[in-house]
Amino acid sequence: MCGIVGYVGKQQAVPIILEGLKRLEYRGYDSAGVCVQNGRKLKVEKKAGRVDNLAKKIARHHLTGTTGIGHTRWATHGGVTDANAHPHLSSDGKFALVHNGVIENFAQIKAFLARKGYTFRSETDTEVLCNLIAYHFAKEPAVKGQSRFLESVRKTLRHVEGTYGIAALCVDFPEEIVAARKASPLILGVGDNEYIIASDASALVSHTQNVVYLKDGELVHLTPSAFTLSTLDQADVSPVVDTITWSVTDADKGKYPHFMLKEIFEQPAALENAMRGRFAADGSTANFGGLNITPAEFATMERFMFCACGTAWHACLVTEHLIERFARIPVEVDYASEFRYRNSPLDPRTLFFVISQSGETIDTLAALREAKRKGHRVMAINNVVGSSIAREADGGIYQHVGPEIGVASTKAFTSQLLIGAMVALYVARMRDMSFSDGVQYVNALKSAPDLVRQALKLAPRIKAIAKRYAKFHDMLFLGRLSLFPIALEGALKLKEISYLHAEGYPAAEMKHGPIALISKKCPTVFFAPSGELFNKLVSSMQEIKALKGPIIAIVTAGAKLPKGLADEVITLPDCHEAVLPIIASIPVQLLSYYIAVERGCDVDKPRNLAKSVTVE
Ligand code: M6R
């Protein structure tokens, strides 16, 4: 994944593009570049490394111009070098292009263009695409009332296979940008005699909150005074201008050193936003506006299938537990990347759900399409309004937690858990759950933000624990039932931001293999809430203790551990089963955050990772 920004208007383009690229850095940060149209010239500056490197380089040169494009890269084709950084110029110097996506047939196109005399300075598919635009432009006749620039981009895109979000400049058309998308997000910010095109709203929200979400197969032609939307088939499209409901401060770190910490502390408010207006007037069930399926139709469903990737997949597992436990409907969970190729037989009365924060994860999108192809209705639990998944799903539930910038998902995850718990309630109340149990469940969900606030007060204590455990190289996370997925999530969080080896297991599986890892060098984070399995959990902890394994126990107030059993005890408030996974996520998020900081890791931009994975 990469981030692209383009500006056309009356202001200097470079500062606006650089600000946008900084905000898009979570999408890729191995190299960055800009190109401005300066009179009859395209001026490019690009550099391997972060956007700050590029900004320093640009500060030494004067890069003026009121039309420009920029890019922050996540390498897919070609190594991390200045030459492979975007923007790319066509070999005749007429076009500059930034691109997010992968052109699958680039090798054939490159061979074709090479035969025609085009040359290449980089190993990227983007440079090939840029030269193909130049090739079509050279052949494109000037037709009155048509933009030759736009038509050559359109013609080019008809020949490419793969995915793209692109923005192009042409030396012969100062003050114009042509942009287009297919399976890579692109949003147009509509200002006052200025336009910004970007991969994500965070890059433009400080300039305008009026946006147009481009659809797959659409092109936009921008000048400072107007824009037109059209399709690959040259059909005009009437734009729908939406308003972004969050502001630029939501996409800033504020007083926090990292987005991840900010987002961890935003969770009480995020949960309140995720459930606002979603309980029935009688206070006994949930209410969803966007499902596009009637309660009667919903009630005929005999099975649910949930697909997602990474952290969102863990949210599916918790939701499975709650739906089966409270609604007594069988649920299947699959990795989206597996489901899309598995050709799994699905009963017609299966309701299909995908969960995705970004709504752009390519595997999840492909799973959604596969389910629709098989005739299933697909519901999406998704955070980013207007994302590909939100648009292609038949119905869905927005998470409403605002932008999540930290690569490690936190507030999006707990809001997915909350929405999953609400779906379980909704279905349970259609079936056997009584009115009074429903009221109790609703009240429990309503208490979640306050319980999270209480859990967040443990931050100083967890920070102190993290200091003691940051030197270890391996860690186990164990939990049972709905806390098994939270053990998986704790291990994933630790791995992705602190590069420690960590694994999550159901606690009772320990004796089937992972116990071999236990030693004084391998601590275990052990979820031991009060409840019917508590004594079994204590026995497992005793085995770990006997093998001299350090234990960080995460318990609830009602769970009384034998004295001295755990090396560290983190006590959470007691709560309803539907809320427990949400509350239990807080200490593992904080623990991984503080361990990563202690180890000097770049928490918001962990190595080798991007916020959303839009290539296979
Ligand atoms: O945007 P999505 O929820 O579809 O993303 C899915 C995963 O890529 C994502 O959850 C990933 O595992 C996160 N980095 C976890 O923190």
Side-chain angles (χ1 to χ4, degrees):
M1 156 174 114
C2 303
I4 68 178
V5 187
Y7 174 82
V8 54
K10 297 288 170 237
Q11 303 187 57
Q12 283 301 311
V14 167
I16 293 170
I17 292 170
L18 284 179
E19 181 206 333
L21 293 182
K22 279 296 291 171
R23 293 193 186 279
L24 294 181
E25 253 193 324
Y26 73 92
R27 301 178 62 87
Y29 35 87
D30 62 42
S31 33
V34 293
C35 176
V36 283
Q37 173 99 34
N38 186 334
R40 285 270 161 194
K41 278 202 180 111
L42 294 176
K43 284 200 158 187
V44 176
E45 290 290 350
K46 53 188 187 172
K47 188 141 189 62
R50 303 262 162 111
V51 174
D52 281 341
N53 277 11
L54 173 73
K56 278 189 206 133
K57 189 175 177 203
I58 289 177
R60 293 195 297 273
H61 304 95
H62 290 291
L63 217 52
T64 53
T66 55
T67 307
I69 54 177
H71 187 269
T72 178
R73 179 170 187 243
W74 184 251
T76 52
H77 277 69
V80 179
T81 61
D82 289 355
N84 286 338
H86 302 211
H88 289 281
L89 288 175
S90 55
S91 57
D92 61 7
K94 273 194 182 301
F95 289 89
L97 186 73
V98 289
H99 168 218
N100 169 32
V102 175
I103 304 302
E104 285 159 9
N105 57 340
F106 89 104
Q108 297 97 297
I109 299 174
K110 191 172 184 175
F112 166 79
L113 290 171
R115 286 196 296 279
K116 300 275 173 204
Y118 288 83
T119 56
F120 303 90
R121 301 178 197 95
S122 77
E123 303 153 285
T124 64
D125 52 349
T126 306
E127 192 185 10
V128 174
L129 190 58
C130 190
N131 275 310
L132 191 60
I133 297 173
Y135 168 79
H136 283 296
F137 185 79
K139 293 199 332 174
E140 185 69 30
V143 177
K144 205 162 174 242
Q146 265 187 12
S147 161
R148 200 172 147 210
F149 176 19
L150 172 64
E151 292 317 315
S152 38
V153 175
R154 196 191 316 272
K155 215 162 256 175
T156 298
L157 295 178
R158 288 194 195 132
H159 289 88
V160 303
E161 287 160 22
T163 58
Y164 53 80
I166 57 162
L169 298 179
C170 177
V171 78
D172 295 345
F173 293 79
E175 302 201 308
E176 291 186 26
I177 293 178
V178 173
R181 69 157 277 176
K182 182 183 165 201
S184 297
L186 216 47
I187 300 175
L188 175 67
V190 180
D192 192 6
N193 282 326
E194 59 179 3
Y195 297 97
I196 305 177
I197 188 90
S199 302
D200 167 321
S202 62
L204 52 82
V205 70
S206 64
H207 301 277
T208 177
Q209 288 182 286
N210 299 325
V211 296
V212 176
Y213 296 101
L214 264 73
K215 296 195 183 77
D216 272 355
E218 285 182 356
L219 297 99
V220 63
H221 182 206
L222 306 174
T223 68
S225 55
F227 74 96
T228 57
L229 269 182
S230 55
T231 65
L232 283 179
D233 301 327
Q234 241 180 341
D236 291 338
V237 176
S238 309
V240 179
V241 181
D242 281 306
T243 306
I244 298 173
T245 52
W246 46 274
S247 72
V248 69
T249 48
D250 294 313
D252 279 338
K253 274 192 281 208
K255 62 180 185 192
Y256 293 93
H258 296 102
F259 279 111
M260 181 179 177
L261 191 63
K262 177 186 180 228
E263 287 157 7
I264 289 175
F265 276 88
E266 277 175 353
Q267 287 176 108
L271 294 171
E272 273 155 9
N273 289 338
M275 64 185 154
R276 179 162 300 121
R278 286 181 167 158
F279 291 116
D282 72 356
S284 79
T285 188
N287 229 343
F288 301 109
L291 289 179
N292 300 330
I293 171 168
T294 64
E297 285 170 317
F298 211 102
T300 62
M301 294 297 157
E302 290 182 350
R303 193 176 190 88
F304 294 142
M305 172 97 206
F306 279 76
C307 274
C309 300
T311 286
W313 182 76
H314 299 152
C316 295
L317 293 179
V318 173
T319 305
E320 172 190 30
H321 174 86
L322 295 177
I323 293 177
E324 291 194 339
R325 160 98 171 82
F326 290 103
R328 310 296 301 147
I329 288 194
V331 179
E332 194 182 336
V333 175
D334 203 354
Y335 284 111
S337 54
E338 290 297 299
F339 174 80
R340 62 183 291 194
Y341 292 114
R342 221 159 49 87
N343 197 17
S344 152
L346 289 182
D347 183 90
R349 267 171 299 189
T350 302
L351 187 60
F352 201 92
F353 279 83
V354 291
I355 304 186
S356 173
Q357 186 285 129
S358 62
E360 301 295 344
T361 300
I362 196 76
D363 286 323
T364 312
L365 187 57
L368 173 156
R369 288 176 179 159
E370 177 64 7
K372 283 184 81 168
R373 197 187 58 76
K374 289 183 164 163
H376 293 273
R377 278 181 155 178
V378 180
M379 305 289 126
I381 297 174
N382 166 231
N383 190 35
V384 177
V385 175
S387 64
S388 303
I389 286 177
R391 279 205 306 264
E392 291 195 29
D394 297 297
I397 307 166
Y398 275 126
Q399 295 172 227
H400 292 316
V401 299
E404 188 181 68
I405 312 276
V407 167
S409 184
T410 52
K411 65 175 179 175
F413 176 59
T414 47
S415 69
Q416 287 162 356
L417 297 181
L418 177 76
I419 291 168
M422 293 170 81
V423 171
L425 168 69
Y426 182 69
V427 189
R429 286 284 293 131
M430 284 178 174
R431 298 184 145 226
D432 292 334
M433 186 185 272
S434 69
F435 173 79
S436 56
D437 285 349
V439 170
Q440 204 191 359
Y441 193 116
V442 167
N443 289 337
L445 295 182
K446 286 184 177 166
S447 72
D450 272 337
L451 293 170
V452 169
R453 273 183 202 105
Q454 287 179 46
L456 287 169
K457 290 197 178 129
L458 296 166
R461 168 150 174 65
I462 295 173
K463 187 175 180 179
I465 295 175
K467 275 190 192 304
R468 292 195 281 279
Y469 288 80
K471 60 180 183 296
F472 287 90
H473 295 287
D474 299 288
M475 223 179 256
L476 274 182
F477 286 75
L478 301 178
R480 295 193 76 162
L481 303 178
S482 66
L483 296 190
F484 157 53
I486 308 303
L488 292 175
E489 173 65 4
L492 178 67
K493 285 286 90 95
L494 192 66
K495 269 185 273 213
E496 66 178 335
I497 58 168
S498 68
Y499 322 138
L500 293 183
H501 169 237
E503 292 188 46
Y505 278 98
E509 274 294 301
M510 184 186 72
K511 53 190 171 300
H512 299 286
I515 196 165
L517 294 174
I518 304 284
S519 76
K520 56 182 182 222
K521 289 187 175 165
C522 177
T524 301
V525 176
F526 207 118
F527 289 107
S530 55
E532 52 178 321
L533 292 180
F534 182 67
N535 290 339
K536 292 185 191 297
L537 293 167
V538 168
S539 305
S540 301
M541 286 165 87
Q542 270 154 349
E543 280 183 69
I544 296 173
K545 188 76 187 162
L547 296 168
K548 303 203 169 11
I551 299 176
I552 303 168
I554 300 176
V555 301
T556 50
K560 299 292 171 229
L561 283 183
K563 220 172 166 0
L565 178 57
D567 299 84
E568 318 284 349
V569 181
I570 297 168
T571 308
L572 298 170
D574 279 313
C575 58
H576 190 281
E577 206 180 324
V579 177
L580 180 61
I582 299 174
I583 313 305
S585 300
I586 307 301
V588 289
Q589 292 172 350
L590 289 167
L591 187 67
S592 12
Y593 171 77
Y594 287 121
I595 287 180
V597 171
E598 193 61 27
R599 291 170 64 86
C601 301
D602 190 346
V603 173
D604 284 333
K605 300 184 191 78
R607 70 182 184 205
N608 311 339
L609 279 172
K611 179 70 180 158
S612 64
V613 183
T614 53
V615 291
E616 213 183 329

